Amino acid sequence: MTKTLAIGTFTDTDRTALVEAFDPVFVAAAGEVADLDAATRDAITAVAFKGHAAFDGAVMDALPALGLIANYGVGYDAIDVAAADARGIKVTNTPDVLNDDVADLAVGMLLMQGREMEHASAWARSGQWKDKGEYRLNRKISGGRAGIVGLGRIGREIADRLAAFKMEIHYFSRSAKDTPGWTHHADPVALAGAVDYLIVSLVGGAETEKFVSAGVIEALGPDGILVNISRGSTVDEAALLDALEDGRLGGAALDVFLGEPDIDPRFHALPNVVIQPHQGSGTHQTRAAMAGLQRDNIAAFHAGDALLTPVN
Ligand code: NAP
C-alpha cells in the first residue's frame, strides 16, 4: 500500500518523477480525498500538495496517519497550518528556488505598466504606427522611488533589481532590516506616500488580508503604480478597482487576484492595468526546482531524516 498521496494537477514530467520516487495515489483536488477507500487513506503518511484550494482540518482527518504535507510553492496559505500543528503534521514549502523568477516578473510588470508596452505593442501590430505615427510619450521608470511591502526573500530580490534601475528603495517590514541604506517605514500608508511604485511581496493568509488598504492606495495616489505578486488577498481589491476606475491610482500590474482564475471582470475593462495569470514562478527551470524540492522533502520524511524546508 502506498504511503504517499499526490493532490493537484502535476505536469507529465513531475508526475513521472513522483511515480518513480513514491508510486503515489493521485487525486485532482483535496475535496476528492474523502472518496478514496479507507485502507488507502489509512496508509497515507505524506502528501505532495499542489494548488490553491483549501487543505483544511477535515481533509487531514480523512488521512489519520498523515505526518507531512509537502507544498509545491513557497506560499502555503491554502494549508491550515494551525490545524496541521494540532494534529502533529509537519508542513514544508519550496522557498528561495523561485525568488529570481518572481522578482523578474515584478520588475517586468512595472516596466510594462509604466512604459505602456501592451498598448504600444497594439499600436504597432494594428498598423497605427504606420498610419498615425509614433506612439504617445509615457513615463520614465528608472530613477524613481520604489516601496517594497514585505522585504522577505522575494521582496529583497525585487529591491536589488530596482536598485540597479537607480531607484531610491523604501520598504515596509515588521522590523528594520540590514540593508544598503534603504529606508524602513513602520507604517504602510507612510511608505506609500513616500514612493512612486509600490510592490507587494507579503505572505498571504488571514494576517495580511487587505494589508494594502484603501488608505495605502490613496496615499500612493494618481501618479502611483501598484505591483502585486503576492496574493490577491493582500490588497483591498474593491478599493483598488474603485481607485483605478476613478483615476485616484495611476495604474496597477497584477499577477494575483481574488477568486483567480475567475477574476473580477472590472479588471478587463481597465486600460491602466497589466494582468498576468499568476505566472510568477512559471518557468521550466524554476518549476522543476520546486517539484524537486517538494520530492526531496517527502523522501527525507519517509527516510526519517530532517526536513529540508519546514514551515512548522
Ligand atoms: P518571506 O520571505 O516569508 O517574506 C514574506 C514577507 O511577508 C516578509 O517581509 C514578512 O515580513 C511579511 N509578513 C509575514 N507575515 C506578516 C504579517 N502578519 N504582517 C505583515 N507582514 C508580514 O516569503 P517569500 O518567499 O518572499 O514569498 C512571499 C510570498 O510571495 C509568498 O508567501 C507567496 O504568497 C508569494 N508568491 C507568489 C508567487 C507568484 O507566482 N506570483 C510565487 C511565489 C511566491 P517581515 O519582513 O517583517 O518578516
Side-chain angles (χ1 to χ4, degrees):
M1 197 70 81
T2 183
K3 296 183 289 185
T4 306
L5 169 66
I7 301 177
T9 306
F10 293 85
T11 65
D12 289 346
T13 307
D14 293 344
R15 194 181 170 95
T16 302
L18 281 166
V19 169
E20 281 173 4
F22 312 114
D23 192 21
V25 175
F26 286 90
V27 295
E32 296 176 16
V33 171
D35 299 334
L36 295 169
D37 65 74
T40 301
R41 286 188 285 105
D42 288 351
I44 298 299
T45 59
V47 166
F49 181 62
K50 183 177 179 185
H52 298 287
F55 194 133
D56 57 17
V59 181
M60 297 174 203
D61 286 339
L63 303 166
L66 187 63
L68 174 70
I69 303 168
N71 189 48
Y72 175 100
V74 67
Y76 51 86
D77 44 306
I79 300 168
D80 186 339
V81 177
D85 272 338
R87 292 160 177 78
I89 298 168
K90 301 296 287 181
V91 177
T92 58
N93 65 346
T94 60
D96 290 319
V97 294
L98 41 63
N99 294 352
D100 283 336
D101 277 351
V102 183
D104 288 353
L105 193 82
V107 173
M109 290 197 303
L110 174 59
L111 292 171
M112 191 168 166
Q113 208 291 333
R115 297 305 311 273
E116 302 185 0
M117 288 185 207
E118 205 170 355
H119 301 298
S121 177
W123 184 263
R125 282 179 190 276
S126 65
Q128 292 181 87
W129 185 16
K130 177 167 65 72
D131 297 341
K132 296 183 180 173
E134 71 176 21
Y135 184 68
R136 70 185 178 204
L137 303 184
N138 42 76
R139 70 187 285 170
K140 179 172 179 175
I141 297 295
S142 277
R145 298 166 303 167
I148 312 296
V149 187
L151 197 70
R153 289 173 293 245
I154 295 170
R156 191 170 280 269
E157 288 291 339
I158 295 169
D160 282 340
R161 282 160 173 72
L162 296 181
F165 281 74
K166 304 170 190 164
M167 289 195 195
E168 191 180 297
I169 306 296
H170 297 245
Y171 69 98
F172 161 86
S173 266
R174 290 168 294 181
S175 57
K177 310 244 168 165
D178 187 14
T179 69
W182 301 340
T183 305
H184 176 246
H185 297 259
D187 172 18
V189 175
L191 171 69
V195 299
D196 308 300
Y197 321 120
L198 197 67
I199 300 95
V200 189
S201 47
L202 293 167
V203 300
E207 286 187 12
T208 56
E209 195 173 346
K210 297 184 182 172
F211 193 87
V212 178
S213 61
V216 171
I217 293 164
E218 207 69 39
L220 189 56
D223 293 324
I225 297 175
L226 178 77
V227 179
N228 188 12
I229 54 79
S230 63
R231 286 287 184 265
S233 60
T234 61
V235 175
D236 184 336
E237 205 172 82
L240 173 65
L241 281 160
D242 288 347
L244 286 164
E245 286 171 353
D246 298 352
R248 286 178 289 111
L249 179 66
L254 309 167
D255 187 43
V256 286
F257 301 82
L258 290 179
E260 59 183 47
D262 185 16
I263 70 173
D264 193 315
R266 287 166 72 192
F267 282 115
H268 296 302
L270 281 165
N272 51 350
V273 179
V274 163
I275 296 174
Q276 291 292 294
H278 197 156
Q279 65 129 337
S281 66
T283 66
H284 293 295
Q285 295 85 344
T286 291
R287 289 288 170 86
M290 290 164 62
L293 184 50
Q294 181 185 45
R295 290 194 300 275
D296 288 348
N297 273 304
I298 296 170
F301 173 80
H302 285 319
D305 294 339
L307 299 170
L308 283 81
T309 48
V311 165
N312 61 348

